[in-house]
Amino acid sequence: MLLILLLVLHGTSYGQTLQKGVADLRSWNPDETPLLKLQGETEFYWQQWIVTEGRTAPPVLMHIPSGWNFDHPFPAHGYASYRIHVILDHPRELRLMIQSIYSSARIFVDGRLITTIGQLGKTPETSVGALQGAWDYSFTPSQAAFDIVVEAANFDIFLGGMMTPIYMGTQDGVRANLQGLTAYTFFIVGTLFIMSLYHFGLFFLRRTDRSTLYYGLHCFFVGLYSLSADPADTWGVLLPTEMPVRIYFYNFGWIACISSFFLYTKSLFPQEMSSRLVNGTAAFGAIYLGTIALLPVRTYVNSTQTYQLVALMIIFYSLLVIARAYRRKRDGARVFLVSFLILFAMTAHDLVMVRGYYSHIPLAGLGVFIFTLCQSYLISARFSHAFHRAETSEAEVRQLASTLEARVEEQTREIRSIMQSIELGIFAIHGSNQVIHKDYSQYLENILETQNLEDQKALPLLFAQSNISEDLQHQIQSVVLTTLGEDVLNFELNKESFPRSMVRYTRDGEVRNFELGWNPIMNDADKVDKLLVSVSDVTDLRKWQEEARHSAEELNMVAEVINIRESEFHRFVKSSCELLQQNILILTQPDVNVPIAELSKIVLMNLHTVKGAARTLQFRGLAERIHQLEQTTSDGVNRGHLMDEHQLLVRHLEEYQRLAVEKLGRTADNQIRLVLPAGQAISAYSFLQDLRQRAEATPLDPLLAALRQQLFTTLPDLMREILRSAESLARDLRKPMPVITLKVPQLLVESKVDEMLRHIFFHLIRNAMDHGIETSEQRVQRGKSPAGHIQLQIEEDGADLVFRLQDDGQGLRLDRIQALAQEQGRLTSTLSMDPQSIADMMFSIGVSTASHITQISGRGIGMTAVARFIQEAGGSIRIQLLSLEVKPGEGYPFALVMRLPLHRFQRPSSITYQAA
């Protein structure tokens, strides 16, 4: 009510409009209207002081209240004169009050100098500004018509001229207006400072809630702003009146109150507001205030316009945050939103007023006063809720305490019931003798096969008939001894010494698996009082896990077998087992006439051959195991371990065979089901074919066709099947599938030759795909097509069948082969050899052009294995260099030429071939 009364008293002035610089007051009745507010058009003389220096140019009309840099295109910095001609009905005693002139002035009434504000000058060096609040002067004009002249200068701030109207009236009217302004300011500022202290007190009582601290700071800074902006000059009563000090505190007040308000809003609605934005804004405000404290007023005052834009953005963002909190129905959001809108409107009013768009008293203080009342209500409500929760909690604690003993007894019964029924061994070790505590689970007696476990030695009983050695048991006893009665840190440092699993043998000879858990139990002194041990029988669980793992492994193996033709699968298993059995024989009964190094070469070649076939047929897991065994063999591990690993591989292959029969319904093998041995069957086939060729027609044709299908494969079909492995290799190497060109005669291949050719070309195709053909990017850079090209040409040459294999890859790097041979000691001289001699070294074991070993190739074994297979078949192999001119850093183009005896192949008769 007092605030409303003050506003009413402040608003009792009567506005008198000035027209063309004249205030016609002849009809004015002072008894009815004791106070006049003069505003409107005045005569304005730019760059003239018309009383002290005289007029030099005609005036323009300037509206007051307003800055001269607003209504007309005059700069903010300069000097000028205002003139108002007043006309009364007769001379009478008057009182004049002027509030704000920026930033220095001389005031003349009826030709007499009545006051000076600051020091006027025509340059920044000679002018000294001052901020003086409401000033009043009593006078009686000598005539009914007189002039009021204000000579002003401004070189300090961004506003120049008269920013408030001129008040004139009776002695009582002006005095009442001045008292009303002073009372308004004291009321607002005093209330804000008291609320600030009140909220500081709340913060010190409850420091976990920072909202009271931030709001207390906000009230203090707004009070400081309202005091420094007071038109009644209450500031001059309390603090220094120098213009730089007052302007600094004015800016300090409103900038700091924006930052503190932002922090306060964040403390109330933390989930709706960005912490980074709030902290960044507060830091920016602090840096800005520290900067302007070191600069002169004339330097920093114009930059405050930038921070006013920042303040508006902060206010709009805060409004968005509060609206979001209101939508989410946060506590107090509705009251906060309404009070904030009032504060926002009055703050916007002050920002517009300070720019000089109209004249009025600052209302931000009133807005904060209303806002403060609402926030005080919210904070009081929060404290009230907190006290209510505290009282409720206290009542609940009292109720809990009254029933605690009964609850503890009930919980104890429940725990004992659980300990009697749970199928888990639980006990505690306590005392210097490390005995079992009386409270243990009943199931523990079943595990330890002992009754009445209380006070029995815990560890000897637990580890009896187990795989925990005596040395380890003594070590565990020592750790338990150093843990009980000591700080928990001892347990943490030694907990890795406690076993987490064990195997125990029952009295019936059964093997049981157990998992162990160890945890400290603390006493009131924060020392380890007992060790809680849990013993879980996981025998069945481990069994189920192993069965699940075995089933998953079987499923993967079946998935690998199902994609391979039955004949091809049986051929792979048979040939792989034969090679592995050969290795086992070498390892168990080595030929004393053959050097150990040569035997090792044979073992590696056999492994490499089996691995290549496995990879070709997509047995990835098997290929990985063989690759690891290759590495183990190269490292020179003892023969016993190598023999065990080979036998495991044989059993693994037999497991594939078993699954193919049991799960896929395939036959146990793919052998020829004849009474005669296979060699005799082939001889019989040849004899029958000779008979067939002597006769024009014979019933032997169906028999010959059936025998041919069982005994032979056509060479074109075999080579197409082998070269299909390039597709899977291309996927593994992430290269395009190469173009393959075949020229193969129509010959028949019996099983042994079939197996040999598969081994040979599996190696050669892998080498071509891995070492020879480049990646698509490299090929494009060298002007080649992205996909490589592999050519295989087979033709008869006398008594031989000649195989010619080549690709359009990067060729043979003879420089690498020569360097590797010298490194391995195969070359005793560093002199250059002819290219063909170096190329022939490719058939030596350990020589490879690969830069590193992979699962596909790189050990330098494949070409040696190829040469061995061909030589055992009575054939030969050589490398034919296609050109001796190569660019630096590139390889020699070459072709592999292999010769095999033609008699190892069968030539079908025309009739038989046509039937096929």
Side-chain angles (χ1 to χ4, degrees):
M1 293 300 294
L2 176 61
L3 178 63
I4 295 173
L5 179 60
L6 291 172
L7 292 175
V8 170
L9 290 174
H10 179 64
T12 56
S13 61
Y14 172 76
Q16 175 64 41
T17 302
L18 303 176
Q19 296 182 353
K20 295 183 180 181
V22 177
D24 189 351
L25 305 179
R26 285 176 288 188
S27 60
W28 173 45
N29 184 355
D31 296 330
E32 295 179 359
T33 309
L35 183 65
L36 295 174
K37 181 165 62 175
L38 304 181
Q39 56 187 9
E41 297 175 340
T42 67
E43 292 182 0
F44 181 75
Y45 299 83
W46 178 245
Q47 302 290 67
Q48 300 178 61
W49 287 333
I50 61 176
V51 175
T52 56
E53 295 181 354
R55 306 180 188 182
T56 59
V60 297
L61 296 178
M62 176 70 68
H63 188 275
I64 65 168
S66 177
W68 64 48
N69 54 318
F70 289 162
D71 287 352
H72 290 79
F74 298 121
H77 293 173
Y79 61 95
S81 298
Y82 293 88
R83 176 179 175 269
I84 299 174
H85 184 63
V86 182
I87 303 174
L88 302 173
D89 56 350
H90 63 275
R92 68 178 72 222
E93 184 180 7
L94 298 172
R95 193 164 185 167
L96 192 68
M97 186 180 79
I98 301 177
Q99 293 179 347
S100 300
I101 301 176
Y102 296 117
S103 58
S104 59
R106 285 190 293 261
I107 302 174
F108 299 87
V109 176
D110 202 13
R112 290 175 296 175
L113 177 64
I114 58 176
T115 189
T116 300
I117 302 172
Q119 177 181 322
L120 271 76
K122 296 183 178 180
T123 63
E125 293 74 20
T126 59
S127 178
V128 179
L131 288 179
Q132 182 171 328
W135 172 89
D136 65 306
Y137 173 73
S138 298
F139 67 97
T140 302
S142 58
Q143 300 178 6
F146 61 92
D147 291 341
I148 300 174
V149 177
V150 178
E151 295 180 346
N154 175 57
F155 294 95
D156 296 295
I157 62 176
F158 57 86
L159 299 174
M162 301 179 66
M163 301 304 299
T164 57
I166 297 175
Y167 290 91
M168 188 176 69
T170 64
Q171 296 283 347
D172 294 337
V174 173
R175 185 183 300 110
N177 185 59
L178 184 60
Q179 291 174 348
L181 288 173
T182 304
Y184 171 82
T185 301
F186 269 111
F187 178 80
I188 294 296
V189 174
T191 301
L192 290 170
F193 284 159
I194 291 172
M195 294 301 298
S196 174
L197 294 175
Y198 170 72
H199 286 93
F200 287 154
L202 291 179
F203 172 71
F204 285 113
L205 290 175
R206 188 166 177 243
R207 298 188 182 184
T208 56
D209 185 2
R210 292 194 176 186
S211 62
T212 52
L213 172 64
Y214 295 143
Y215 196 70
L217 290 172
H218 180 67
C219 292
F220 176 80
F221 292 136
V222 176
L224 184 65
Y225 159 76
S226 299
L227 186 62
S228 61
D230 172 30
D233 199 26
T234 310
W235 174 279
V237 179
L238 303 174
L239 296 169
T241 59
E242 288 80 2
M243 180 178 178
V245 176
R246 188 165 177 177
I247 289 182
Y248 176 76
F249 276 101
Y250 173 85
N251 286 288
F252 181 88
W254 75 264
I255 292 174
C257 82
I258 291 292
S259 298
S260 58
F261 173 78
F262 215 26
L263 291 169
Y264 171 66
T265 307
K266 176 67 172 66
S267 67
L268 291 182
F269 309 113
Q271 297 179 351
E272 282 73 27
M273 186 173 283
S274 169
S275 298
R276 291 184 178 179
L277 180 61
V278 173
N279 296 334
T281 303
F284 177 72
I287 295 172
Y288 183 78
L289 288 173
T291 302
I292 67 176
L294 304 175
L295 299 175
V297 173
R298 293 177 180 176
T299 303
Y300 76 74
V301 71
N302 290 322
S303 67
T304 57
Q305 302 175 62
T306 302
Y307 201 86
Q308 288 174 5
L309 295 177
V310 175
L312 283 175
M313 288 189 290
I314 290 175
I315 292 171
F316 278 115
Y317 177 72
S318 299
L319 181 60
L320 177 64
V321 167
I322 299 166
R324 188 182 301 152
Y326 175 73
R327 289 198 307 270
R328 295 176 180 176
K329 297 182 180 180
R330 305 294 187 196
D331 290 340
R334 178 180 299 178
V335 176
F336 196 102
L337 179 61
V338 174
S339 60
F340 179 78
L341 290 175
I342 296 174
L343 176 62
F344 172 76
M346 294 190 175
T347 303
H349 162 273
D350 278 18
L351 290 175
V352 175
M353 183 195 70
V354 79
R355 300 301 303 165
Y357 292 107
Y358 64 88
S359 173
H360 200 267
I361 61 173
L363 295 180
L366 176 60
V368 172
F369 173 77
I370 298 172
F371 187 75
T372 299
L373 292 179
C374 295
Q375 299 313 304
S376 297
Y377 165 76
L378 289 180
I379 293 175
S380 299
R382 294 179 67 183
F383 269 80
S384 176
H385 292 326
F387 288 136
H388 177 70
R389 287 194 298 268
E391 292 175 354
T392 303
S393 299
E394 182 180 2
E396 291 176 352
V397 169
R398 289 177 180 175
Q399 183 179 2
L400 180 62
S402 63
T403 60
L404 181 60
E405 184 176 351
R407 291 192 176 205
V408 169
E409 185 175 352
E410 181 182 354
Q411 292 292 329
T412 302
R413 286 197 302 269
E414 291 179 358
I415 292 174
R416 287 176 178 170
S417 175
I418 293 173
M419 296 287 277
Q420 293 296 321
S421 59
I422 189 172
E423 292 189 357
L424 180 68
I426 302 175
F427 67 97
I429 303 175
H430 73 112
S432 58
N433 294 329
Q434 303 178 17
V435 297
I436 297 176
H437 190 267
K438 64 178 181 178
D439 294 324
Y440 60 86
S441 65
Q442 186 66 35
Y443 193 71
L444 183 65
E445 294 183 351
N446 297 339
I447 293 175
L448 302 181
E449 300 179 296
T450 305
Q451 305 295 320
N452 302 321
L453 300 176
E454 181 181 353
D455 291 335
Q456 293 200 41
K457 294 281 188 178
L459 298 181
L461 193 60
L462 176 65
F463 296 136
Q465 303 298 319
S466 73
N467 64 333
I468 305 298
S469 65
E470 290 187 6
D471 290 341
L472 184 55
Q473 291 184 39
H474 290 311
Q475 179 183 346
I476 298 169
Q477 289 177 357
S478 300
V479 173
V480 173
L481 185 62
T482 58
T483 299
L484 291 175
E486 301 297 332
D487 191 87
V488 71
L489 180 61
N490 284 9
F491 173 81
E492 294 296 333
L493 293 175
N494 295 284
K495 64 181 180 181
E496 298 301 327
S497 300
F498 293 106
R500 299 297 172 179
S501 63
M502 71 174 181
V503 176
R504 208 167 187 276
Y505 305 93
T506 67
R507 293 172 182 172
D508 298 334
E510 186 180 2
V511 179
R512 308 295 293 179
N513 294 287
F514 296 93
E515 287 185 354
L516 306 177
W518 307 80
N519 293 282
I521 300 176
M522 313 301 294
N523 57 21
D524 295 338
D526 283 338
K527 303 294 183 181
V528 178
D529 185 47
K530 303 178 185 68
L531 273 182
L532 181 66
V533 184
S534 62
V535 186
S536 177
D537 190 340
V538 295
T539 305
D540 293 337
L541 177 62
R542 296 281 174 82
K543 180 181 178 182
W544 297 333
Q545 289 176 341
E546 179 62 23
E547 290 176 353
R549 186 197 62 77
H550 185 68
S551 298
E553 184 177 348
E554 281 191 350
L555 185 62
N556 290 332
M557 294 171 70
V558 170
E560 291 175 332
V561 173
I562 201 171
N563 294 320
I564 305 172
R565 292 198 306 271
E566 183 174 358
S567 60
E568 193 171 0
F569 168 73
H570 286 301
R571 186 187 303 112
F572 163 73
V573 173
K574 176 178 176 295
S575 62
S576 298
C577 286
E578 289 175 353
L579 291 174
L580 293 175
Q581 291 292 352
Q582 182 182 0
N583 281 1
I584 292 174
L585 183 62
I586 292 173
L587 292 170
T588 54
Q589 302 175 13
D591 190 343
V592 295
N593 298 318
V594 180
I596 296 297
E598 188 64 29
L599 294 176
S600 298
K601 293 179 184 178
I602 296 173
V603 170
L604 282 172
M605 285 189 291
N606 289 342
L607 288 175
H608 201 66
T609 300
V610 176
K611 184 183 76 171
R615 283 201 63 85
T616 301
L617 297 178
Q618 300 296 304
F619 289 108
R620 299 186 182 275
L622 181 61
E624 171 64 23
R625 292 183 62 173
I626 300 174
H627 180 74
Q628 293 175 357
L629 184 55
E630 274 186 321
Q631 186 63 47
T632 303
T633 306
S634 300
D635 293 340
V637 179
N638 65 78
R639 292 183 181 178
H641 177 72
L642 293 179
M643 185 175 65
D644 292 340
E645 292 296 322
H646 276 75
Q647 289 174 345
L648 286 175
L649 281 177
V650 172
R651 285 197 291 271
H652 197 60
L653 289 169
E654 292 172 348
E655 181 68 9
Y656 272 109
Q657 184 79 30
R658 182 188 67 81
L659 292 174
V661 174
E662 295 181 2
K663 303 297 183 181
L664 300 179
R666 295 182 176 181
T667 58
D669 54 49
N670 199 38
Q671 298 297 322
I672 303 170
R673 303 198 177 279
L674 297 173
V675 177
L676 293 176
Q680 295 182 14
I682 294 174
S683 299
Y685 172 80
S686 300
F687 175 74
L688 293 174
Q689 184 169 303
D690 290 340
L691 289 178
R692 171 65 184 82
Q693 290 175 351
R694 295 192 193 100
E696 294 182 358
T698 176
L700 292 177
D701 285 347
L703 177 60
L704 287 171
L707 286 173
R708 186 185 65 250
Q709 185 176 2
Q710 290 291 329
L711 296 174
F712 301 103
T713 303
T714 65
L715 186 59
D717 290 343
L718 173 62
M719 299 315 301
R720 277 193 291 268
E721 182 179 331
I722 293 174
L723 291 174
R724 275 203 304 268
S725 65
E727 184 176 357
S728 62
L729 286 170
R731 287 197 302 269
D732 293 341
L733 296 169
R734 298 181 179 179
K735 295 179 180 180
M737 174 65 185
V739 177
I740 298 176
T741 303
L742 287 177
K743 184 178 180 182
V744 184
Q746 291 290 345
L747 296 174
L748 298 179
V749 183
E750 55 96 3
S751 60
K752 289 186 177 181
V753 178
D754 178 305
E755 185 176 321
M756 175 193 66
L757 290 177
R758 290 178 187 273
H759 290 326
I760 291 173
F761 280 96
F762 283 159
H763 286 295
L764 297 181
I765 296 301
R766 283 202 309 274
N767 285 344
M769 291 297 298
D770 196 11
H771 311 327
I773 296 176
E774 311 94 328
T775 63
S776 58
E777 293 80 5
Q778 293 172 335
R779 292 181 62 83
V780 171
Q781 290 176 358
R782 295 173 182 176
K784 302 179 182 180
S785 61
H789 186 195
I790 297 176
Q791 300 179 60
L792 176 60
Q793 180 178 352
I794 305 175
E795 58 186 4
E796 297 180 21
D797 184 12
D800 294 333
L801 189 65
V802 180
F803 295 75
R804 182 184 180 87
L805 178 69
Q806 69 182 80
D807 60 69
D808 66 342
Q810 56 190 340
L812 200 60
R813 293 294 301 269
L814 298 185
D815 53 342
R816 292 181 181 175
I817 297 174
Q818 184 174 5
L820 183 60
Q822 290 174 351
E823 180 182 339
Q824 295 176 349
R826 300 178 187 274
L827 292 179
T828 58
S829 173
T830 58
L831 297 176
S832 298
M833 300 175 61
D834 65 279
Q836 186 62 55
S837 298
I838 298 174
D840 291 340
M841 298 187 69
M842 279 295 298
F843 300 108
S844 300
I845 192 165
V847 176
S848 174
T849 59
S851 58
H852 59 280
I853 296 175
T854 67
Q855 288 189 8
I856 296 177
S857 59
R859 293 190 181 275
I861 298 173
M863 295 301 294
T864 307
V866 168
R868 174 188 166 212
F869 287 127
I870 293 176
Q871 290 167 3
E872 289 178 350
S876 65
I877 182 172
R878 67 183 179 88
I879 295 176
Q880 178 185 356
L881 298 179
L882 303 179
S883 174
L884 298 180
E885 296 181 0
V886 295
K887 296 180 181 179
E890 294 187 0
Y892 288 75
F894 71 98
L896 283 170
V897 180
M898 295 161 283
R899 288 180 172 271
L900 289 173
L902 183 59
H903 67 78
R904 301 298 299 268
F905 302 88
Q906 297 289 333
R907 190 187 307 278
S909 66
S910 59
I911 297 175
T912 307
Y913 172 70
Q914 291 172 3

